[in-house]
Amino acid sequence: MQYAQLLSLEEVEQVHDASLELLESFGILVHNENALGIFKRHGCQVDPETHIVKISRRIVENFRQAFPPTFTFRGRDPQFDKTIPDDGPVFVTASSAPDIVDPLSGELRRATSVDIANIAFLINELPGYDIFSISTLADDAPDGQFSLARFYPALKNCLKPVRGNTPDIKDLVRVLELGAIIAGGPEAYQERPLITHHCCAAVSPLTLDIHSTEAILYLTKRGLPCYATVAPNAGMTAPMSLMGTLVLGNTEFLAVAVLMQMVKPQSSNIYAVLSTVADMRNGNYAPGAMETGILQMAHSQMAEFYNVPAGGYIGLTGAHGNDAQSGYESGMSMTAAMLGRTHMLNSGGLMSNLMAFDFAKAVIDSEMALMIKRIGRGLEFSQEGMALDVIAEAGHGGSYLQLAHTIENMRTAAIIPTIATRELRGIWEKNGRYDANARALDQASRILMRDNPAVLSPQVEARIRERFKDLVPGDAKWVGY
Amino acid sequence: MQYAQLLSLEEVEQVHDASLELLESFGILVHNENALGIFKRHGCQVDPETHIVKISRRIVENFRQAFPPTFTFRGRDPQFDKTIPDDGPVFVTASSAPDIVDPLSGELRRATSVDIANIAFLINELPGYDIFSISTLADDAPDGQFSLARFYPALKNCLKPVRGNTPDIKDLVRVLELGAIIAGGPEAYQERPLITHHCCAAVSPLTLDIHSTEAILYLTKRGLPCYATVAPNAGMTAPMSLMGTLVLGNTEFLAVAVLMQMVKPQSSNIYAVLSTVADMRNGNYAPGAMETGILQMAHSQMAEFYNVPAGGYIGLTGAHGNDAQSGYESGMSMTAAMLGRTHMLNSGGLMSNLMAFDFAKAVIDSEMALMIKRIGRGLEFSQEGMALDVIAEAGHGGSYLQLAHTIENMRTAAIIPTIATRELRGIWEKNGRYDANARALDQASRILMRDNPAVLSPQVEARIRERFKDLVPGDAKWVGY
């Protein structure tokens, strides 16, 4: 496929050049002491008072030539491993919403570890998803187990790669311990790290924080999979122009990417963004806007220029229910991202601007993910596919319905959707006028009423409980709707 | 912009070659006698028994080199004229649904001329639309005025270009007479033909019909704007493979396009398609499927190869309400079409697989159209847009909210949507939890409660009523909802 490009190569080079200029002349504010030291040791100009780090063009250019071109996500079951770009586009849930739409009442409430277990099981079963990024927080987390109460139900109920983040190194170390027990020991985990960490190390504008940057340093040093997401918001934390926001986000990506190479050469990375434009009527966050898709396309071009896999929080919506807005905001940005050469799309399951998980939305997004992947397969050109003999067989004005060629290909030529209705209106009315939300919630319920065959073995379970007392049960438990 | 391409140039050439082969060796069945004569006079091999016309490669290649590269739609008000590709993508309503969702009851019923008047006024006012293709039939049409009862309320209430079709030449002639009265006489109409006709002359597989083909001949001969839409349906009237359906549709486009050049060299044309895949579980029509978008992208590549503007019935949905399916089916195919270099998108306002018009859907589609056009504007690259001085002004960790640059650009950097909610969830709940459908219906109602300033002058009105007795009133009349 030839991907769509909104910028010419010359314009891409000018964006790169602007980022080099910013890093060299204006620099980046670094709150993390270890990162300051690393930048200094690699010849950057570090101001001990202001903590502003200036990285010369030469340093950036040296490191960025060596960015590895691939990134691998590993799951509990290796059959679900994904390496981008080759296995892309991969589809991921969006993460860390505080709230969930209760499937029974339809009302918003805090999410719990039981919700995470249910969601993990659902994502394991839905064919559109490749990676489970832990969708919500766990309000029932015991003291000191903020992250364990999220990662444990996630890993317990899902064989696909799990992704998440932690607020600090203490939590990160515990989560890695948990991962190691599940993998069968620290060496086995090092061999097949079944958790991927994404960290908001860069805080717009042009700042590296303390804790997420520390996580990036910790994981990179050990060769464990991680990357940073940059998320400039035009009008609030970035210039009120798409070009300015692109330059700012690109600069922030480069700062972290170079830091990672300084820590450990050949560290895999993803160019991951959530560049948005604020709605200036009220200052509200608006990641469902078309501009998010446009910025994603542009960042993906920068990723291609750097020969790094391109990812994004793309397909988000500001809608508060599964209405038309939810469908078109998610669908349009996903399609733009796919055709703009994005290899990883994170958005599944969340609505209300990333604030709430919704089971029906997760199911609907899986269907959209299959549609996005169908675009990726394209026309599947072949001489045989042109079917000139079949056209001759059907004849002028004839029917293809009964032809052998039709019967042979009817299951594979097109996606068979499970959410989109294809019923005639009269039949749909007679069947109860269910909309996509109702059909999706029904599908989620039918999946979650099954037993989950993916749970951990009793031995592993016992080892985990021995190490982490008071851990949440972590089991999927569906109350219906 | 560099558009997305699912086929390589070599593959495009092979599709073209397959179409040449089909036209030369297998031919096309032509039911229209005049068309048979024209093909014969231009050296095609016409079988007098079977009515199969074989068009040699040489003939097709000669004519297709001369296809004009542009097509112009004219409106009652010249400020709304659109020429594609330059003014593209243009956004058009989808046409000729028998039914409408009653805005008051929410139930389906037959559409009338009053509905068409209301819709015409709405499309005139909605900023996303460029062209009004008459959305429904008119169940209240007096005897012999099947088409007049559609075109009259459309033309009366809309200054934008109007498009439609007629079942036969008798109706076509009357509609042209109506157009001439509105334009100020036959010469004025010839100068500025304010109606564009689209005709389903090619019926898949590989057949030209009698009446629509006659309309194409009649209009083309007089230099009046028209084009044919080809609509192969994989599994029913086309091979059960995207490539086969592409080849078939392309062959049918070429047959009509060559015929038009034979009638009048340099006739403008649009490569317009609605290639779909049937849902083989029930044989139902499924134009909302992702495959429709993929086929549209491929046909648009063929259009580019022929240097003809690319159009399509794209953005359709099988949903029966404005739910998530309606949003993602319409949005995803539109985005794929836009990024695949489609210059004209027809879909606004219809749901239920083209069978029903819905006022809220028309409003929602207008917002999606603005989003599609926003993609077309892209990043608007400029050195100034990169805003390096603004980035320096805001500083590390600073805010952009209060900067002069933000205030200057806040109204233009991003679309300000009127349907998508950007409210926080708590405020949305407090305000009544209205979904996109409710907000859109409210917007339609607020527009339609206004007076329509676009209606015809009393003099023109009198002339029309003198010529066509018993004509429907043709006035927009909104009953609220």
Side-chain angles (χ1 to χ4, degrees):
Chain A
M1 184 190 313
Q2 177 190 287
Y3 292 98
Q5 299 192 336
L6 299 175
L7 299 172
S8 68
L9 178 57
E10 196 192 15
E11 289 164 354
V12 165
E13 286 168 346
Q14 288 191 55
V15 171
H16 173 58
D17 192 68
S19 290
L20 292 179
E21 175 66 22
L22 279 174
L23 287 171
E24 181 168 85
S25 305
F26 191 65
I28 185 154
L29 173 62
V30 178
H31 289 305
N32 182 289
E33 290 288 343
N34 289 327
L36 280 174
I38 293 163
F39 279 124
K40 192 164 185 184
R41 281 200 296 283
H42 285 84
C44 301
Q45 185 188 321
V46 174
D47 187 314
E49 299 283 304
T50 61
H51 289 194
I52 285 171
V53 176
K54 295 183 175 170
I55 315 173
S56 72
R57 283 169 180 266
R58 190 189 47 77
I59 292 175
V60 176
E61 287 292 26
N62 273 348
F63 281 108
R64 73 113 172 153
Q65 305 292 348
F67 291 159
T70 65
F71 189 96
T72 297
F73 292 90
R74 291 186 179 79
R76 264 175 59 203
D77 184 337
Q79 72 161 306
F80 292 116
D81 287 5
K82 297 287 173 200
T83 296
I84 51 175
D86 282 1
D87 296 334
V90 295
F91 201 72
V92 192
T93 45
S95 14
S96 304
D99 292 326
I100 189 166
V101 178
D102 186 275
L104 214 52
S105 69
E107 295 298 318
L108 209 67
R109 60 165 171 77
R110 289 287 174 206
T112 69
S113 64
V114 181
D115 294 319
I116 293 174
N118 284 330
I119 299 167
F121 179 25
L122 184 66
I123 300 308
N124 194 63
E125 303 300 301
L126 287 173
Y129 291 100
D130 301 289
I131 294 150
F132 175 44
S133 188
I134 305 173
S135 305
T136 69
L137 307 182
D139 200 47
D140 59 337
D143 266 4
Q145 299 197 343
F146 177 86
S147 298
L148 285 171
R150 302 181 63 214
F151 281 84
Y152 173 60
L155 290 160
K156 185 171 183 176
N157 292 281
C158 188
L159 296 169
K160 294 176 180 175
V162 167
R163 190 187 73 182
N165 55 10
T166 50
D168 54 33
I169 287 291
K170 204 174 67 179
D171 268 29
L172 173 60
V173 170
R174 284 176 179 174
V175 165
L176 291 174
E177 264 192 88
L178 173 68
I181 298 173
I182 292 171
E187 297 75 22
Y189 187 84
Q190 190 69 38
E191 187 80 13
R192 286 190 46 76
L194 45 83
I195 303 169
T196 301
H197 294 266
H198 61 134
C199 316
C200 295
V203 179
S204 299
L206 295 176
T207 304
L208 298 196
D209 81 337
I210 296 175
H211 293 296
S212 292
T213 303
E214 192 65 26
I216 287 278
L217 299 180
Y218 185 95
L219 293 160
T220 302
K221 199 168 150 188
R222 287 160 180 78
L224 295 172
C226 67
Y227 62 90
T229 301
V230 298
N233 183 225
M236 307 300 279
T237 64
M240 195 72 207
S241 73
L242 299 196
M243 282 308 304
T245 301
L246 174 66
V247 166
L248 190 75
N250 189 65
T251 307
E252 292 164 352
F253 160 75
L254 278 178
V256 181
V258 164
L259 177 63
M260 286 171 70
Q261 296 305 310
M262 288 174 173
V263 173
K264 190 177 171 83
Q266 285 300 306
S267 295
S268 275
N269 194 7
I270 299 175
Y271 190 126
V273 287
L274 173 50
S275 282
T276 50
V277 179
D279 189 317
M280 297 307 282
R281 290 172 295 187
N282 44 30
N284 284 349
Y285 198 50
M290 196 66 250
E291 289 79 14
T292 310
I294 294 167
L295 283 163
Q296 178 65 44
M297 292 180 72
H299 279 297
S300 294
Q301 278 196 258
M302 299 311 302
E304 181 175 23
F305 180 71
Y306 297 131
N307 198 23
V308 171
Y313 265 79
I314 192 74
L316 300 168
T317 182
H320 303 297
N322 290 304
D323 65 352
Q325 177 188 350
S326 153
Y328 71 70
E329 285 191 337
S330 291
M332 292 174 79
S333 283
M334 279 184 206
T335 308
M338 164 73 217
L339 290 173
R341 195 185 166 278
T342 299
H343 307 115
M344 175 186 72
L345 293 83
N346 317 270
S347 58
L350 295 202
M351 53 171 58
S352 300
N353 292 338
L354 290 162
M355 296 305 283
F357 178 86
D358 182 85
F359 283 98
K361 176 79 171 127
V363 174
I364 292 168
D365 288 344
S366 172
E367 182 145 309
M368 279 196 255
L370 295 177
M371 293 168 77
I372 289 294
K373 291 174 185 188
R374 181 67 190 83
I375 299 176
R377 277 162 51 207
L379 274 289
E380 298 172 314
F381 178 88
S382 72
Q383 281 289 342
E384 203 185 289
M386 292 203 284
L388 297 194
D389 52 335
V390 181
I391 292 173
E393 185 188 353
H396 304 93
S399 169
Y400 287 77
L401 184 54
Q402 74 297 343
L403 300 189
H405 179 265
T406 301
I407 292 157
E408 274 160 31
N409 292 288
M410 59 189 270
R411 273 170 236 282
T412 52
I415 298 172
I416 311 278
T418 59
I419 296 305
T421 181
R422 298 277 175 84
E423 290 170 324
L424 299 179
R425 189 172 182 113
I427 294 172
W428 172 79
E429 287 183 354
K430 208 173 289 173
N431 286 344
R433 298 179 183 231
Y434 292 116
D435 67 4
N437 181 71
R439 294 191 296 272
L441 198 51
D442 181 62
Q443 187 173 128
S445 193
R446 279 183 287 117
I447 290 173
L448 290 173
M449 284 192 295
R450 302 201 298 251
D451 279 336
N452 184 359
V455 291
L456 298 166
S457 73
Q459 294 79 2
V460 170
E461 184 78 25
R463 253 172 259 142
I464 292 170
R465 298 214 162 264
E466 196 188 311
R467 171 66 190 88
F468 302 111
K469 309 294 182 200
D470 305 323
L471 197 57
V472 294
D475 295 313
K477 203 169 107 186
W478 183 247
V479 290
Y481 70 92
Chain B
M1 185 190 314
Q2 176 188 289
Y3 291 99
Q5 300 192 337
L6 299 176
L7 299 171
S8 67
L9 178 58
E10 196 191 14
E11 289 165 355
V12 164
E13 285 168 347
Q14 288 191 57
V15 171
H16 173 58
D17 192 68
S19 290
L20 292 180
E21 175 65 22
L22 279 174
L23 287 171
E24 181 169 84
S25 304
F26 191 66
I28 185 153
L29 173 61
V30 178
H31 288 305
N32 182 290
E33 291 287 344
N34 289 327
L36 281 172
I38 293 163
F39 279 124
K40 192 163 186 185
R41 281 200 297 285
H42 285 85
C44 301
Q45 185 189 320
V46 174
D47 187 313
E49 299 283 305
T50 61
H51 288 195
I52 285 173
V53 176
K54 294 183 174 169
I55 315 172
S56 73
R57 282 168 181 266
R58 190 188 47 77
I59 292 175
V60 176
E61 287 292 25
N62 273 348
F63 281 109
R64 75 112 172 153
Q65 305 292 347
F67 290 160
T70 66
F71 189 97
T72 298
F73 292 90
R74 290 186 180 79
R76 264 174 60 203
D77 184 336
Q79 71 162 306
F80 292 116
D81 288 4
K82 297 288 173 199
T83 296
I84 51 174
D86 281 2
D87 296 334
V90 295
F91 200 73
V92 192
T93 44
S95 13
S96 303
D99 293 327
I100 189 166
V101 178
D102 187 275
L104 214 51
S105 69
E107 297 298 319
L108 210 67
R109 61 165 171 78
R110 291 285 174 207
T112 68
S113 64
V114 180
D115 294 318
I116 294 174
N118 283 331
I119 299 166
F121 179 24
L122 184 66
I123 299 308
N124 194 62
E125 302 300 302
L126 286 172
Y129 292 100
D130 300 289
I131 294 150
F132 175 44
S133 188
I134 306 173
S135 305
T136 69
L137 307 182
D139 199 47
D140 59 336
D143 266 3
Q145 299 197 344
F146 177 87
S147 298
L148 285 171
R150 301 180 65 213
F151 280 83
Y152 173 61
L155 290 160
K156 185 170 183 176
N157 292 282
C158 187
L159 296 168
K160 294 176 181 175
V162 167
R163 191 188 71 182
N165 56 9
T166 50
D168 54 32
I169 287 292
K170 206 174 67 178
D171 267 30
L172 173 59
V173 170
R174 283 176 179 175
V175 164
L176 292 174
E177 263 192 87
L178 172 69
I181 298 174
I182 292 171
E187 296 75 22
Y189 187 84
Q190 189 69 39
E191 186 80 13
R192 285 190 48 75
L194 46 83
I195 303 170
T196 300
H197 294 266
H198 62 132
C199 316
C200 295
V203 179
S204 300
L206 295 176
T207 304
L208 298 195
D209 80 338
I210 296 175
H211 293 296
S212 292
T213 303
E214 192 65 26
I216 288 278
L217 299 180
Y218 186 95
L219 293 160
T220 303
K221 199 167 151 189
R222 287 160 180 78
L224 295 173
C226 67
Y227 62 90
T229 301
V230 298
N233 184 225
M236 306 300 278
T237 63
M240 195 72 207
S241 74
L242 300 196
M243 282 309 303
T245 301
L246 175 66
V247 166
L248 190 76
N250 189 63
T251 306
E252 293 164 352
F253 160 76
L254 278 178
V256 181
V258 163
L259 177 63
M260 286 172 69
Q261 296 305 310
M262 288 173 172
V263 173
K264 190 178 171 80
Q266 285 300 306
S267 295
S268 274
N269 194 6
I270 299 175
Y271 190 126
V273 287
L274 174 49
S275 283
T276 50
V277 179
D279 189 317
M280 298 306 283
R281 289 172 295 186
N282 45 28
N284 283 348
Y285 198 50
M290 196 67 250
E291 288 80 13
T292 311
I294 294 167
L295 283 163
Q296 177 66 43
M297 291 180 72
H299 280 297
S300 295
Q301 278 196 258
M302 299 311 302
E304 181 175 24
F305 180 72
Y306 298 131
N307 198 22
V308 171
Y313 264 79
I314 193 74
L316 300 169
T317 182
H320 303 296
N322 290 304
D323 65 353
Q325 178 188 350
S326 153
Y328 70 72
E329 286 191 337
S330 291
M332 292 174 80
S333 283
M334 279 185 207
T335 307
M338 163 74 216
L339 290 173
R341 195 185 165 277
T342 299
H343 308 114
M344 174 185 73
L345 292 83
N346 316 272
S347 58
L350 296 202
M351 53 170 59
S352 299
N353 292 338
L354 291 162
M355 296 304 282
F357 178 86
D358 182 86
F359 282 98
K361 177 80 170 125
V363 174
I364 291 169
D365 288 343
S366 172
E367 183 145 309
M368 279 196 255
L370 295 178
M371 293 168 77
I372 289 293
K373 292 173 185 188
R374 181 67 190 83
I375 299 176
R377 277 161 52 207
L379 273 289
E380 298 172 312
F381 178 89
S382 71
Q383 281 290 341
E384 202 184 291
M386 292 203 283
L388 297 194
D389 52 333
V390 181
I391 292 172
E393 185 187 354
H396 304 91
S399 168
Y400 288 77
L401 183 54
Q402 73 298 341
L403 300 189
H405 179 265
T406 301
I407 293 157
E408 273 160 31
N409 293 288
M410 59 189 268
R411 273 171 235 282
T412 53
I415 298 173
I416 311 280
T418 58
I419 297 305
T421 181
R422 298 277 175 84
E423 288 169 326
L424 299 179
R425 189 172 182 114
I427 294 172
W428 171 80
E429 287 183 354
K430 207 173 292 173
N431 286 345
R433 299 179 182 231
Y434 292 116
D435 67 3
N437 181 71
R439 293 191 295 273
L441 198 51
D442 181 62
Q443 187 172 127
S445 193
R446 278 183 289 116
I447 290 172
L448 290 173
M449 283 192 295
R450 302 202 297 251
D451 280 336
N452 184 358
V455 292
L456 299 165
S457 73
Q459 294 79 2
V460 169
E461 183 79 26
R463 253 173 258 142
I464 291 171
R465 299 214 161 264
E466 196 188 309
R467 170 66 189 86
F468 302 111
K469 307 297 181 201
D470 305 321
L471 197 58
V472 294
D475 294 313
K477 203 169 108 187
W478 183 247
V479 290
Y481 69 92

